[in-house]
Amino acid sequence: MSHADTGVRVAGAWLALAAIILAAALVFHGPIAPDHDTQIQRIADGSLRWSVVHWAAAAALSFFAIASLIALTAGSSLTREWWTLSAWALLPVGALWTVTTAVAEATVIHNAAVTGNRAVYESWWMFAEGNGNGFAAMALAFTVIAANEAQTEDGVTPFWVSSIAALAGLASFAGWALGMWLGQPFGSAIWVVGSIVMCLWLVWFGVSLARVEAGPASVRHDAPSGA
């Protein structure tokens, strides 16, 4: 098995694992309340759930970074085009930014909400919101990857599934922008739903890559048929 084949399989396995964990974390995370008082109360009322969800999210985001770094060094057709190469390169940046948000929310923000320390909560929430923009970058990266998979003739997931995933990635980005940047209360719900759908495709995509036969994943679009 070539280096490219091994890289694709291993990247796919890490991608699927990360997506499974993140999807579960998002289900239990739910939309973010635009009002600080409401959000503080939600964290305090479900402190254990909040902590577990964000530690799980931190692990998932770290796994996404691992998957992307493997994909970038595999030399496979996953990164053959400039846009897919850029998307896979953007992914670890967004993931590592968002990891800091997840850890901050699992630790200092969690503690501030439980103890009712509003000043500490608001300061660290601003930090988390800033670094959380990495999730928007990840959503754009996954949108490009899914769109490329949809237009690839012999991709590992069906056209309609990849197309839905690309739309879900756009919805995740738009929801984040509406909720976090523009303060629209419905934006966070769009972000959660879009992100979960996006993760479901990533599980399918990752598992398919991990199971692909030697050769096709690494040479897809890199050589004419029969070469």
Side-chain angles (χ1 to χ4, degrees), residues 27-119:
V27 168
F28 289 101
H29 185 287
I32 300 169
D35 179 68
H36 278 188
D37 289 330
T38 302
Q39 188 61 37
I40 289 175
Q41 193 59 48
R42 285 183 182 177
I43 297 172
D45 290 344
S47 58
L48 178 60
R49 174 183 57 82
W50 184 264
S51 181
V52 171
V53 160
H54 285 87
W55 281 121
L61 293 163
S62 300
F63 296 161
F64 276 128
I66 292 172
S68 59
L69 292 175
I70 294 172
L72 286 168
T73 57
S76 74
S77 63
L78 291 177
T79 56
R80 181 179 184 275
E81 305 295 344
W82 69 263
W83 53 86
T84 51
L85 179 61
S86 298
W88 283 102
L90 179 61
L91 182 54
V93 176
L96 293 176
W97 269 46
T98 315
V99 161
T100 62
T101 291
V103 173
E105 294 198 39
T107 54
V108 64
I109 290 175
H110 167 266
N111 184 68
V114 171
T115 59
N117 192 330
R118 179 68 180 261

Side-chain angles (χ1 to χ4, degrees), residues 102-197:
V103 173
E105 294 198 39
T107 54
V108 64
I109 290 175
H110 167 266
N111 184 68
V114 171
T115 59
N117 192 330
R118 179 68 180 261
V120 171
Y121 173 89
E122 291 186 348
S123 297
W124 278 90
W125 189 261
M126 290 177 63
F127 169 85
E129 280 189 331
N131 280 17
N133 289 322
F135 202 105
M138 290 176 58
L140 287 179
F142 287 136
T143 298
V144 172
I145 293 169
N148 183 75
E149 176 70 9
Q151 63 86 39
T152 299
E153 184 178 347
D154 49 353
V156 296
T157 59
F159 167 79
W160 66 272
V161 175
S162 304
S163 299
I164 291 174
L167 292 175
L170 282 178
S172 175
F173 174 82
W176 183 271
L178 288 169
M180 298 298 106
W181 301 344
L182 301 179
Q184 299 299 318
F186 57 86
S188 185
I190 295 174
W191 164 67
V192 171
V193 174
S195 299
I196 291 173
V197 174

Side-chain angles (χ1 to χ4, degrees), residues 185-212:
F186 57 86
S188 185
I190 295 174
W191 164 67
V192 171
V193 174
S195 299
I196 291 173
V197 174
M198 181 177 69
C199 283
L200 294 178
W201 173 75
L202 287 169
V203 174
W204 189 338
F205 183 54
V207 170
S208 298
L209 290 176
R211 299 175 59 185
V212 75

